[in-house]
Amino acid sequence: MTGAILGGSSVEQAARLQMVIMFLISAATALAAIMATGLACAIVVDEEQRIRDERVSEGKAAIWVGRDKVAEAIKKGLGFPGKARHRVENGST
C-alpha cells in the first residue's frame, strides 16, 4: 500500500489494490488446501469408502527423493565439499 501511495495513487485506490492482493492470496491458499485434501482422499480412500492405510507410504515422498538426487548431482558437479576441481587437458592435471 505504501508503494502505491508513494507512486502517486490515491489512498482509496491503494487500499483497493491491497484488498485485491489479499483476496488473491486467500483464494490461492484455499484452492491449494482443497486440492491437497482431494488428492489425499483420492489416494487413501478406496472404492468402498474405506481408508486404506497400506496406501500410505512411510518412506520419503517421491518429490523429496528427487530433490535429494538433484542436490547430490549438483554437489558432485561442483566438487563439494571442499574439493578443488582440476580440468584435465592434454593429459596434464
Side-chain angles (χ1 to χ4, degrees), residues 29-71:
T29 303
L31 183 62
I34 290 168
M35 288 178 60
T37 303
L39 185 60
C41 286
I43 291 172
V44 175
V45 178
D46 67 0
E47 297 82 24
E48 296 179 9
Q49 305 302 316
R50 296 178 296 189
I51 296 176
R52 305 294 298 266
D53 56 348
E54 71 269 5
R55 293 184 180 180
V56 178
S57 173
E58 295 193 15
K60 277 187 173 180
I63 187 82
W64 305 126
V65 172
R67 179 205 60 182
D68 293 343
K69 286 182 181 179
V70 169

Side-chain angles (χ1 to χ4, degrees), residues 2-45:
T2 305
I5 293 172
L6 289 175
S9 297
S10 66
V11 175
E12 183 178 316
Q13 188 176 10
R16 283 186 185 166
L17 177 64
Q18 181 141 6
M19 283 191 290
V20 167
I21 291 170
M22 289 302 296
F23 285 136
L24 288 173
I25 291 171
S26 299
T29 303
L31 183 62
I34 290 168
M35 288 178 60
T37 303
L39 185 60
C41 286
I43 291 172
V44 175
V45 178

Side-chain angles (χ1 to χ4, degrees), residues 72 74-87:
E72 285 300 318
I74 291 172
K75 286 180 185 177
K76 285 181 183 178
L78 295 177
F80 285 120
K83 294 180 183 175
R85 287 185 66 188
H86 298 286
R87 184 177 263 174

